[in-house]
């Protein structure tokens, strides 16, 4: 079993009957969705899923997980998602799969948030992974130039065909190749203040549990908030 499957299965154990569960996006979250689907079908686990991308909605729908639109629920009990980087103090970068806008909206509604990763995602400081910034198409070159002026090494994300990557909301993504982020909260506030920026991939003070895949099995770390 690979680490992604290991942590996906472990995370699915935290899902309880009657919960509203945020279902993340990505190759690790894929295994969690599989494992939750298995529990729904084999144990009769009764949950409502809220998905974070069209990809996850298709996957969960095919497995027969009952789903609701985020607009139609009052709260989410638990969200389980992957991450691209997690720092020593449990701050994160997400959006490598381009779904960070919906992922953040779902996480923000959630009482508990579990991130599932292998140990390659654990870093001392954030920033080696390019920070995704979702931007509206209108005026996106202006935002890009501002990032260039600030020496943030921006690049427009491309899809497999070499076209500009489009998010589920029809926006573009600019990845910032920062190498090291010294003050994530300051950077997040500045990005939040920019007109034309829809959402960035800094997920700060968000996660409540991290499950790491290791040679010795899944390690569950509780994060005090
Ligand atoms: C998608 C995400 C993913 O959770 C993140 O990119 C990790 O993906 P993977 O598990 O495939 O490495 O943020 O927007």
């Amino acid at each position: 079993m690979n680490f992604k499957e290991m942590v996906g299965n472990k995370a699915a154990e935290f899902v309880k009957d009657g919960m509203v569960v945020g279902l993340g996006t990505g190759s690790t979250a894929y295994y969690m969705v599989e494992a939750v689907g298995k529990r729904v079908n084999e144990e009769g686990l009764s949950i409502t899923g809220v998905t974070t991308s069209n990809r996850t909605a298709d996957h969960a729908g095919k497995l027969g997980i009952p789903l609701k639109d985020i607009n139609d629920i009052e709260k989410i009990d638990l969200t389980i998602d992957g991450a691209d980087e997690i720092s020593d103090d449990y701050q994160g970068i997400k959006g490598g799969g381009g779904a960070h806008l919906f992922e953040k909206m779902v996480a923000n509604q959630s009482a508990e948030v579990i991130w599932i990763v292998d140990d390659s995602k654990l870093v001392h400081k954030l920033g080696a992974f390019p920070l995704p910034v979702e931007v509206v198409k209108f005026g996106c070159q202006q935002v890009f130039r501002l990032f260039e002026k600030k020496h943030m090494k921006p690049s427009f994300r491309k899809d497999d065909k070499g076209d500009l990557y489009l998010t589920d909301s029809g926006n573009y993504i600019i990845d910032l190749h920062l190498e090291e982020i010294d003050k994530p909260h300051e950077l997040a506030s500045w990005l939040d203040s920019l007109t034309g920026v829809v959402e960035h991939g800094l997920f700060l003070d968000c996660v409540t549990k991290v499950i790491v895949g290791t040679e010795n099995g899944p390690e569950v770390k509780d994060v005090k908030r």
Side-chain angles (χ1 to χ4, degrees):
M1 186 190 297
N2 65 42
F3 286 169
K4 293 183 185 198
E5 190 172 359
M6 178 198 287
V7 293
N9 289 347
K10 184 70 194 171
E13 291 175 16
F14 290 90
V15 178
K16 304 284 177 245
D17 226 35
M19 276 186 167
V20 177
V21 183
L23 301 170
T25 295
S27 58
T28 316
Y30 173 91
Y31 287 103
M32 173 275 297
V33 174
E34 283 284 305
V36 170
K38 200 166 169 215
R39 290 193 59 201
V40 167
N41 290 304
E42 293 180 6
E43 292 171 30
L45 179 76
S46 168
I47 62 150
T48 302
V50 178
T51 56
T52 54
S53 63
N54 294 342
R55 270 165 286 166
T56 300
D58 285 349
H59 183 197
K62 279 185 189 136
L63 294 172
I65 300 174
L67 299 176
K68 272 196 180 173
D69 190 278
I70 191 169
N71 288 312
D72 299 330
I73 48 102
E74 279 181 17
K75 66 173 174 75
I76 298 170
D77 297 293
L78 167 66
T79 287
I80 306 170
D81 205 345
D84 297 302
E85 269 188 352
I86 305 176
S87 63
D88 287 344
D89 56 353
Y90 298 107
Q91 309 297 9
I93 288 183
K94 287 181 49 54
H100 58 280
L101 170 61
F102 292 1
E103 289 174 332
K104 197 178 278 190
M105 292 179 79
V106 169
N108 285 350
Q109 294 293 319
S110 303
E112 299 283 332
V113 176
I114 300 179
W115 285 343
I116 48 176
V117 293
D118 61 55
D119 55 9
S120 70
K121 307 279 184 80
L122 302 182
V123 298
H124 177 50
K125 247 184 195 181
L126 299 177
F129 191 90
L131 178 65
V133 181
E134 181 163 343
V135 294
V136 294
K137 287 179 178 174
F138 183 83
C140 62
Q141 294 293 349
Q142 298 292 352
V143 180
F144 187 88
R145 279 184 221 131
L146 174 66
F147 290 148
E148 274 187 328
K149 228 196 264 171
K150 300 245 175 212
H151 309 291
M152 297 174 101
K153 300 189 190 139
S155 63
F156 274 102
R157 191 174 301 183
K158 303 266 178 69
D159 63 20
D160 294 343
K161 292 183 202 141
D163 297 326
L164 287 175
Y165 181 90
L166 277 182
T167 67
D168 283 353
S169 300
N171 298 312
Y172 293 146
I173 290 181
I174 298 175
D175 289 305
L176 301 178
H177 301 260
L178 300 169
E179 279 141 44
E180 245 188 24
I181 300 173
D182 283 327
K183 294 181 178 161
H185 287 88
E186 271 183 28
L187 176 59
S189 299
W190 180 70
L191 289 168
D192 287 338
S193 77
L194 297 180
T195 308
V197 166
V198 181
E199 195 49 80
H200 56 80
L202 281 168
F203 281 53
L204 305 180
D205 309 316
C206 163
V207 74
T208 54
K209 203 185 283 301
V210 174
I211 305 179
V212 186
T214 76
E215 295 291 346
N216 303 322
E219 265 179 36
V220 180
K221 299 164 191 273
D222 284 307
V223 182
K224 294 281 160 273
R225 293 276 173 229

